[in-house]
Amino acid sequence: ETSKVYFTNLRTTPSSNLLDKMERLVKRAGIANIDFQNQFVAIKIHFGEPGNLAFIRPNYAARMATLLRNLGAKPFLTDCNTLYSGRRANAVDHLESAMENGFNPISAKCDVIIADGLKGTEYREIEIDGEYCKAPKIGSAIADADIESCTAIEFLQIIFHIRTVLDYEIDYIQITVSRSCVVAVIES
């Protein structure tokens, strides 16, 4: 069976902003057909480096968390610590950085959890038998989640990066939902 692909443009009107479009897009793609009831849902997001702007704003995460909660999920925002030194190399500094950029349980409407723990050592090796990577190390909070929702948040991060950093205009977004993940592709 071929996947259905849904598109939307990024133009807004006074009655339809980007948050509304994101929600309509994931609903149209069938997110309500996934059983989220009492499921821990990891919303993988990049919290951004303090002082930079190349990250999705917390209001998008909040809208996605609210949508998932309305479908019965137990959503949480998550990312893993970085391998390089800096403000996201351990969970304490990473959470402080996230809060400086506006990610907290109040603004994001869900908890914020660093997936690989205090020092980045809490992970599971997940067998995928890939050509270059047989068993990647996945942060425990993501591996232990019932569903990982890369969803709209991940593609909005890509869109934001492309539009602001690369100065590349985007006209349409497509999104496809499978049983356990939502995949998005952007086109110009």
Coordinates of all heavy atoms in Angstrom, one line a residue, residues 48-51 81-82 84-98 100:
G48 N 17.8 24.2 21.6 CA 18.6 25.4 21.1 C 19.7 25.7 22.1 O 19.6 25.5 23.3
E49 N 20.7 26.4 21.6 CA 21.8 26.9 22.4 C 21.3 28.3 22.8 O 20.8 29.1 22.0 CB 23.1 27.0 21.6 CG 23.7 25.7 21.2 CD 24.4 25.0 22.4 OE1 24.5 25.6 23.5 OE2 24.8 23.8 22.2
P50 N 21.6 28.7 24.1 CA 21.2 30.0 24.5 C 21.9 31.1 23.7 O 23.1 30.9 23.3 CB 21.8 30.0 26.0 CG 21.7 28.6 26.4 CD 22.1 27.8 25.2
G51 N 21.2 32.1 23.3 CA 21.7 33.1 22.5 C 21.5 32.9 21.0 O 21.6 33.8 20.2
N81 N 21.9 14.8 25.5 CA 23.0 15.7 25.7 C 24.0 15.6 24.5 O 23.9 14.6 23.7 CB 23.8 15.2 27.0 CG 23.0 15.5 28.2 OD1 22.5 16.5 28.4 ND2 23.0 14.5 29.1
T82 N 24.8 16.6 24.3 CA 25.7 16.7 23.2 C 27.0 16.0 23.6 O 27.3 15.9 24.7 CB 26.0 18.1 22.8 OG1 26.6 18.8 23.9 CG2 24.8 18.9 22.4
Y84 N 29.9 17.1 22.4 CA 30.8 18.2 22.5 C 30.6 19.0 23.8 O 29.5 18.9 24.4 CB 30.8 19.1 21.3 CG 29.4 19.7 21.0 CD1 29.0 20.9 21.6 CD2 28.6 19.1 20.1 CE1 27.8 21.4 21.3 CE2 27.3 19.6 19.8 CZ 26.9 20.8 20.4 OH 25.7 21.3 20.2
S85 N 31.6 19.7 24.3 CA 31.4 20.4 25.5 C 30.6 21.7 25.2 O 30.5 22.1 24.1 CB 32.8 20.8 26.1 OG 33.4 21.7 25.1
G86 N 29.9 22.1 26.2 CA 29.1 23.3 26.1 C 27.9 23.2 27.0 O 27.9 22.4 27.9
R87 N 26.9 24.1 26.8 CA 25.8 24.2 27.7 C 24.8 23.1 27.6 O 23.8 23.0 28.4 CB 25.1 25.5 27.4 CG 25.9 26.8 27.6 CD 25.8 27.3 29.0 NE 24.6 27.4 29.7 CZ 23.7 28.4 29.6 NH1 24.0 29.4 28.9 NH2 22.6 28.3 30.3
R88 N 25.0 22.1 26.7 CA 24.0 21.0 26.6 C 24.8 19.7 26.7 O 24.3 18.6 26.3 CB 23.3 21.0 25.2 CG 22.4 22.3 25.1 CD 21.5 22.3 23.9 NE 22.4 22.4 22.7 CZ 22.3 21.5 21.7 NH1 21.4 20.6 21.6 NH2 23.1 21.6 20.6
A89 N 25.9 19.7 27.4 CA 26.7 18.5 27.5 C 26.3 17.6 28.7 O 26.7 16.5 28.9 CB 28.2 18.8 27.6
N90 N 25.5 18.2 29.6 CA 25.0 17.4 30.8 C 23.6 17.9 31.1 O 23.2 19.0 30.6 CB 25.9 17.6 32.0 CG 25.9 19.0 32.5 OD1 24.9 19.5 33.1 ND2 27.0 19.8 32.3
A91 N 22.9 17.1 31.8 CA 21.4 17.3 31.9 C 21.1 18.6 32.7 O 20.2 19.3 32.4 CB 20.7 16.2 32.6
V92 N 21.9 19.0 33.7 CA 21.7 20.2 34.5 C 21.8 21.4 33.6 O 20.9 22.2 33.5 CB 22.6 20.2 35.7 CG1 22.4 21.6 36.4 CG2 22.3 19.1 36.7
D93 N 22.9 21.5 32.9 CA 23.1 22.7 32.1 C 22.2 22.7 30.9 O 21.7 23.7 30.4 CB 24.6 22.7 31.5 CG 25.6 23.0 32.7 OD1 25.2 23.5 33.7 OD2 26.8 22.7 32.5
H94 N 21.9 21.5 30.4 CA 21.0 21.3 29.2 C 19.6 21.8 29.6 O 18.9 22.6 28.8 CB 20.9 19.9 28.8 CG 20.4 19.6 27.4 ND1 20.7 18.5 26.8 CD2 19.7 20.3 26.6 CE1 20.2 18.5 25.6 NE2 19.5 19.6 25.4
L95 N 19.1 21.4 30.8 CA 17.8 21.9 31.2 C 17.8 23.4 31.5 O 16.8 24.1 31.2 CB 17.3 21.2 32.5 CG 16.9 19.7 32.3 CD1 16.7 19.0 33.6 CD2 15.6 19.7 31.4
E96 N 18.9 24.0 32.0 CA 18.9 25.4 32.2 C 18.9 26.1 30.8 O 18.2 27.1 30.7 CB 20.2 25.8 32.9 CG 20.2 25.5 34.4 CD 21.5 25.9 35.1 OE1 22.4 26.5 34.5 OE2 21.6 25.5 36.3
S97 N 19.6 25.6 29.8 CA 19.6 26.1 28.5 C 18.2 26.1 27.9 O 17.7 27.0 27.3 CB 20.5 25.4 27.6 OG 21.9 25.5 28.0
A98 N 17.5 24.9 28.1 CA 16.1 24.8 27.6 C 15.2 25.8 28.2 O 14.4 26.4 27.5 CB 15.6 23.3 27.9
E100 N 16.1 28.7 29.5 CA 16.4 30.1 29.0 C 15.8 30.3 27.6 O 15.4 31.5 27.3 CB 17.9 30.2 28.8 CG 18.7 30.4 30.1 CD 20.2 30.6 29.9 OE1 20.6 31.2 28.9 OE2 20.9 30.1 30.8

